[in-house]
Amino acid sequence: MNCRELPLTLWVLIFVSTTESCTSRPHITVVEGEPFYLKYCSCSPAHEIETTTKNWYKSSGSQERVELNPRSSSRIALHGCVLEFWPVELNDTGSYSFQMANYTQKWKLNVIRRNKHSCFTERQVTSKTVEVKKFLQITCENSYYQTLVNSTSLYKNCKKLLENNKNPMIKKNAELEDQGYYSCVHFLHHNGKLFNITKTFNITIVEDRSNIVPVLLGPKLNHVAVELGKDVRLNCSALLNEEDVVYWMFGEENGSDPNIHEEKEIRIMTSEGKWHASKVLRIENIGENNLNVLYNCTVASTGGTDTKSFILVRKADMADIPGHVFTKGMIIAVLILVAVVCLVTVCIIYRVDLVLFYRHLMRRDETLTAVVDEIHSLIEKSRRLIIVLSKSYMSNEVRYELESGLHEALVERKIKVILIEFTPVTDFTFLPQSLKLLKSHRVLKWKADKSLSYNSRFWKNLLYLMPAKAVKPGRDESEVLPVLSES
Ligand SMILES: *[C@@H]1O[C@H](CO)[C@@H](O)[C@H](O)[C@H]1NC(C)=O
Ligand SMILES: *[C@@H]1O[C@H](CO)[C@@H](O)[C@H](O)[C@H]1NC(C)=O
Ligand SMILES: *[C@@H]1O[C@H](CO)[C@@H](O)[C@H](O)[C@H]1NC(C)=O
Ligand SMILES: *[C@@H]1O[C@H](CO)[C@@H](O)[C@H](O)[C@H]1NC(C)=O
Ligand SMILES: *[C@@H]1O[C@H](CO)[C@@H](O)[C@H](O)[C@H]1NC(C)=O
C-alpha cells in the first residue's frame, strides 16, 4: 500500500466505524456536548436479553476505578451492552471498561473542546482525497441514533447546502471546486432536550493522476492573412499535463530572425486538474521572407507529440480597405457616374439652346459684310447654303443656284449646306444624289401650316446651323422676324 492510498483507506475505515453498531476502536476522541455511546462488541442478541450481570467501570488519572450506574450521573444511561452519554462532557475523559462474566473490553476516551467559532471542530474531521473526475459521494448517516434523528443538515465550509433532509447526500464526479469541509449535523430530541451530532469530512480534490494525451486546440493548418510591414501574433494553445511542454519551431536557415519573438507561456489549471497552456509567437515588421513558410507549434509529452502549423499569406488588396469605407467609395463613384451621364444627356438634348446661349453671351460675328449681285460670287462669299425645297418655287435659275452652291459646298467644301424641307426630298427627281446623303442634322423639316414663333425649335435649329453673329443693340427689336410659309 503506498502513501497515496492511505488517506482513502483510513477514510473508508472511519466511515465504516461510524456506521458500526459496536465500538471497536480502543482510543476514541469525541467533542463535548454531543450525544455519545460505547458498545461492547461481542454482544449477541442473546446476551442482550440474558440476565447475566453486566458492569461498566470508569477510571481517570490516579483515581480508583468506579462502577457506573444511572445514579452516578444524570447524563449516563445503561442499556445492557451500551453505555450512553446525553451528552458527553469534558470530565468524561478517562478509561472505560465493560465486564460480563469473564468477558471484558476496554476503551480510552478523550473528550475535546468544541470550537465555538466554527460549525465543526478541526480535530474531529475525517479526511478524504478524491481525484478529479472520480466519483465523490458524501452521505450523512448515523445508524445508531437513526430512529431519534429529527432532521439533518449538510454544510460546506459552514454554509448550509441541504437542510431538514432525512439523509442529505452528494453524489457527483469530483471537480477541483468541490474541495472543502462538509459537515453533517444531525438534530435529535432526548428527554425533551435538543441535541446535535456533527460529522465533518475534509474533502481534498487532487488532479487526475493519469496522464492525458496532450492536444493542440484549433485546426492543424492555419492560413493567417497579413500585411507586409505589420505585426502578427500567432496564438498556440494546448490542453496538456503539468509536465508537458509547448514550443515553437520554424526554419532559421539564415540565422535567427530578430523580428520573431516567443512570448511567455501562460498556464491555467482546468477544473479537471489538467492544464491549459498558450504560447504566442510574435512576428514584427512582416517581410516577404515571412510569407508562405511554416511556423510550427508542438506540444510534447511522454505520451507523444502534436503539431500545428501557421502560414502567413498576403492579405488581398481589396480586403485592405475596411468594408464600410469600400462601400461608401462605391456609392460615391456610382453617384458621380450617374451625374456625369445625366449632364451629358442634358447637353446633347439642349445642345442648340446651349450654343445659342453661348453666342449671345460672347456676341461673336462670323458673318461677312460685302454685298455682291452675282449669284456665283454671292455663293462664293456665302458661309451657308440654305436650300428650301418647295415644288412651287422650282425654276431654272433656282436650279443653277442650287447646283453651283452644292458644288462649292461639296467639292470646294467652302460652305455648309442647310436643307429645309417643305416637301420631302424623295418627291424631287432631279435632285443630285449628294443632297440625299446630307447629314441628317443639317436637314430641317418644316411641319407646321402657319408661321412658327421665333422661339420654336425649328428656328433655333436653323439659327444653330448658321454662323455666329454679334447682336447689335437696338437692332434686335426692329429686325423683321423671318417668316416661312407656303406661297
Ligand atoms: C450543536 O450543539 C452545541 C451544544 O451542544 C451548540 O453549541 C451548537 O450550536 C449546536 N449546533 C447547531 C448547528 O445547532
Ligand atoms: C484537510 O485536508 C488538507 C489536505 O489534505 C490538509 O492540508 C488540511 O490540514 C486538512 N484540514 C484539517 C482540519 O485536517
Ligand atoms: C422535529 O422536531 C420538531 C419540533 O421539535 C417537530 O415539529 C417536527 O415534526 C420534528 N420532525 C421530525 C421529522 O421528527
Ligand atoms: C490564445 O488562445 C486561447 C484560446 O484559444 C486563449 O484562452 C488565450 O487567452 C489566447 N492567448 C493570447 C495571448 O491571446
Ligand atoms: C512543420 O510541420 C510540418 C508538418 O508537420 C513539417 O513538414 C515541417 O517540416 C515542419 N517545419 C518545421 C520548420 O519544423
Side-chain angles (χ1 to χ4, degrees):
M1 186 159 67
N2 67 28
C3 296
R4 260 182 212 161
E5 288 164 4
L6 199 64
L8 202 70
T9 317
L10 251 175
W11 179 82
V12 172
L13 281 178
I14 294 164
F15 187 77
V16 168
S17 71
T18 59
T19 56
E20 71 189 348
S21 52
C22 81
T23 316
S24 54
R25 293 161 292 154
H27 295 273
I28 302 155
T29 301
V30 68
V31 177
E32 61 168 327
E34 289 193 354
F36 174 73
Y37 72 92
L38 287 173
K39 185 174 181 185
Y40 170 58
C41 275
S42 309
C43 212
S44 64
H47 283 135
E48 293 276 7
I49 308 152
E50 248 180 81
T51 53
T52 329
T53 42
K54 306 170 187 78
N55 300 305
W56 284 93
Y57 301 96
K58 179 195 173 185
S59 61
S60 56
S62 54
Q63 269 184 331
E64 273 290 302
R65 83 169 193 178
V66 290
E67 193 183 339
L68 299 171
N69 57 60
R71 285 180 305 279
S72 54
S73 167
S74 57
R75 295 182 291 105
I76 285 171
L78 296 171
H79 301 288
C81 296
V82 183
L83 168 66
E84 286 181 351
F85 298 86
W86 291 98
V88 72
E89 293 296 355
L90 287 176
N91 58 12
D92 292 324
T93 298
S95 301
Y96 290 82
S97 57
F98 170 80
Q99 220 167 13
M100 182 177 66
N102 48 1
Y103 299 104
T104 182
Q105 191 177 350
K106 287 184 177 174
W107 299 269
K108 261 196 165 21
L109 187 65
N110 182 26
V111 184
I112 58 166
R113 285 194 186 279
R114 171 178 293 273
N115 181 349
K116 297 275 190 330
H117 310 290
S118 173
C119 67
F120 65 95
T121 305
E122 282 77 4
R123 283 182 63 188
Q124 272 306 86
V125 303
T126 303
S127 290
K128 185 184 178 185
T129 300
V130 184
E131 262 183 43
V132 159
K133 280 197 200 157
K134 293 281 158 63
F135 187 59
L136 168 70
Q137 179 170 354
I138 297 159
T139 317
C140 293
E141 267 180 347
N142 193 308
S143 57
Y144 184 82
Y145 296 103
Q146 201 174 355
T147 52
L148 300 173
V149 169
N150 178 294
S151 71
T152 305
S153 295
L154 176 62
Y155 298 77
K156 181 186 179 185
N157 297 329
C158 293
K159 275 203 203 115
K160 205 173 270 181
L161 281 187
L162 305 161
E163 69 174 321
N164 282 339
N165 239 317
K166 202 67 189 164
N167 286 108
M169 71 161 82
I170 287 176
K171 274 183 177 179
K172 70 193 295 281
N173 287 331
E175 287 175 50
L176 288 177
E177 302 86 78
D178 293 329
Q179 181 155 314
Y181 295 98
Y182 292 83
S183 308
C184 295
V185 185
H186 305 278
F187 296 92
L188 48 136
H189 290 277
H190 179 77
N191 288 346
K193 273 186 172 171
L194 179 67
F195 297 91
N196 68 64
I197 300 167
T198 301
K199 168 114 197 92
T200 301
F201 301 100
N202 177 11
I203 305 286
T204 305
I205 311 286
V206 293
E207 64 177 271
D208 184 359
R209 291 185 184 107
S210 63
N211 276 349
I212 54 157
V213 174
V215 281
L216 288 165
L217 308 176
K220 289 278 162 275
L221 185 62
N222 302 269
H223 285 89
V224 183
V226 293
E227 281 175 63
L228 292 182
K230 294 273 170 67
D231 299 351
V232 72
R233 298 172 88 244
L234 305 177
N235 183 0
C236 173
S237 47
L239 188 66
L240 36 64
N241 304 297
E242 192 170 6
E243 63 277 11
D244 298 346
V245 288
V246 179
Y247 56 88
W248 281 94
M249 283 259 286
F250 42 90
E252 286 183 295
E253 310 87 45
N254 313 320
S256 63
D257 189 335
N259 289 338
I260 303 181
H261 308 274
E262 242 180 275
E263 289 185 5
K264 204 168 155 280
E265 184 180 308
I266 298 164
R267 281 199 183 210
I268 303 161
M269 201 193 216
T270 66
S271 61
E272 281 89 35
K274 293 297 160 202
W275 294 86
H276 186 248
S278 67
K279 199 166 198 176
V280 169
L281 187 74
R282 195 174 73 248
I283 303 173
E284 291 170 350
N285 189 21
I286 298 163
E288 292 279 355
N289 60 316
N290 301 122
L291 301 179
N292 304 313
V293 289
L294 287 178
Y295 292 93
N296 292 352
C297 174
T298 302
V299 60
S301 79
T302 48
T305 64
D306 189 18
T307 295
K308 78 188 250 184
S309 306
F310 291 81
I311 297 179
L312 304 190
V313 290
R314 199 197 297 261
K315 201 180 272 185
D317 291 342
M318 193 72 164
D320 283 353
I321 307 166
H324 63 282
V325 174
F326 179 75
T327 314
K328 266 187 197 167
M330 281 302 278
I331 290 171
I332 290 168
V334 166
L335 285 180
I336 289 173
L337 196 72
V338 168
V340 166
V341 168
C342 287
L343 199 67
V344 168
T345 310
V346 166
C347 284
I348 289 170
I349 292 172
Y350 294 101
R351 174 177 86 245
V352 172
D353 302 67
L354 289 172
V355 171
L356 293 183
F357 178 69
Y358 172 77
R359 284 180 189 175
H360 181 77
L361 271 186
M362 301 313 289
R363 298 180 187 279
R364 281 179 61 193
D365 190 351
E366 288 175 358
T367 59
L368 292 173
T369 53
V371 179
V372 187
D373 339 14
E374 283 199 24
I375 293 169
H376 190 73
S377 64
L378 204 70
I379 286 172
E380 215 169 33
K381 295 217 166 103
S382 294
R383 305 290 303 276
R384 298 285 186 273
L385 171 65
I386 301 181
I387 302 165
V388 181
L389 283 182
S390 168
K391 272 184 177 159
S392 57
Y393 188 68
M394 194 49 77
S395 65
N396 281 341
E397 201 181 19
V398 166
R399 277 176 83 159
Y400 172 71
E401 279 177 29
L402 177 67
E403 263 156 36
S404 52
L406 276 177
H407 176 82
E408 285 287 320
L410 303 170
V411 180
E412 307 284 327
R413 289 191 182 276
K414 279 184 184 163
I415 55 174
K416 285 182 177 148
V417 178
I418 301 170
L419 185 65
I420 298 176
E421 281 185 35
F422 247 100
T423 316
V425 183
T426 45
D427 288 4
F428 298 90
T429 45
F430 68 91
L431 281 182
Q433 276 296 309
S434 53
L435 206 61
K436 292 180 183 168
L437 299 174
L438 213 63
K439 280 181 190 151
S440 64
H441 77 275
R442 302 210 150 262
V443 178
L444 301 178
K445 286 194 171 73
W446 180 264
K447 285 175 189 156
D449 291 336
K450 284 191 250 164
S451 300
L452 292 167
S453 89
Y454 191 49
N455 271 334
S456 69
R457 192 135 291 274
F458 175 84
W459 288 118
K460 279 185 180 175
N461 282 343
L462 184 59
L463 210 55
Y464 167 70
L465 292 174
M466 289 300 281
K469 184 188 176 188
V471 180
K472 286 182 188 122
R475 273 195 60 185
D476 288 42
E477 299 85 23
S478 64
E479 224 169 32
V480 181
L481 290 178
V483 173
L484 200 69
S485 67
E486 242 170 322
S487 58

